[in-house]
Amino acid sequence: MTEIYFDEFRLIVIEHIRAIEEGEPQIYSMEWFLLKYLRRIERNARTPTTHGAMENSMRALIRFYVDMIDEYSPLGERCRYIYEQYRRVLRESQARK
């Protein structure tokens, strides 16, 4: 299967992780749970990986977003932005083929 490089995407996720951590989220808050999902995505994006390996992490984030986060909140915007960047990486990878 084709390897996809998520280096640039990983840096975006790290920026969002750091921004959320600066607010020192309380345990079991929405921000705290979002950090768990973002850290999982960041961990999966460390090495060249296949689309399927990242897909599970992104599906989990989207499920959390749909079920728990208000679409128009700052966290909702953050989730949508991360997903858009993920899709951009996939489109660029597809275009290079």
Side-chain angles (χ1 to χ4, degrees):
M1 199 153 203
T2 306
E3 291 181 335
I4 301 172
Y5 291 87
F6 288 99
D7 296 335
E8 192 176 314
F9 174 68
R10 183 173 169 263
L11 294 175
I12 291 169
V13 173
I14 289 171
E15 287 177 21
H16 286 277
I17 289 172
R18 289 182 181 155
I20 294 171
E21 286 176 338
E22 285 178 5
E24 298 178 1
Q26 292 185 356
I27 192 166
Y28 302 120
S29 66
M30 288 292 174
E31 293 85 359
W32 184 83
F33 281 109
L34 181 57
L35 279 173
K36 292 180 77 56
Y37 288 104
L38 293 180
R39 287 183 185 128
R40 180 178 170 198
I41 291 168
E42 186 272 330
R43 186 174 53 248
N44 286 334
R46 285 185 186 162
T47 59
T49 187
T50 61
H51 170 67
M54 282 296 293
E55 187 68 22
N56 289 338
S57 298
M58 291 305 297
R59 281 184 186 182
L61 173 67
I62 296 305
R63 186 81 254 159
F64 174 71
Y65 164 70
V66 168
D67 289 345
M68 303 299 292
I69 297 179
D70 179 24
E71 180 180 0
Y72 302 106
S73 71
L75 288 181
E77 292 174 14
R78 194 178 296 273
C79 289
R80 279 195 319 274
Y81 178 77
I82 290 169
Y83 184 71
E84 289 168 4
Q85 294 304 308
Y86 169 71
R87 297 299 304 167
R88 182 185 59 79
V89 169
L90 293 179
R91 280 192 306 273
E92 289 173 359
S93 173
Q94 186 69 23
R96 279 181 262 165
K97 289 183 180 180

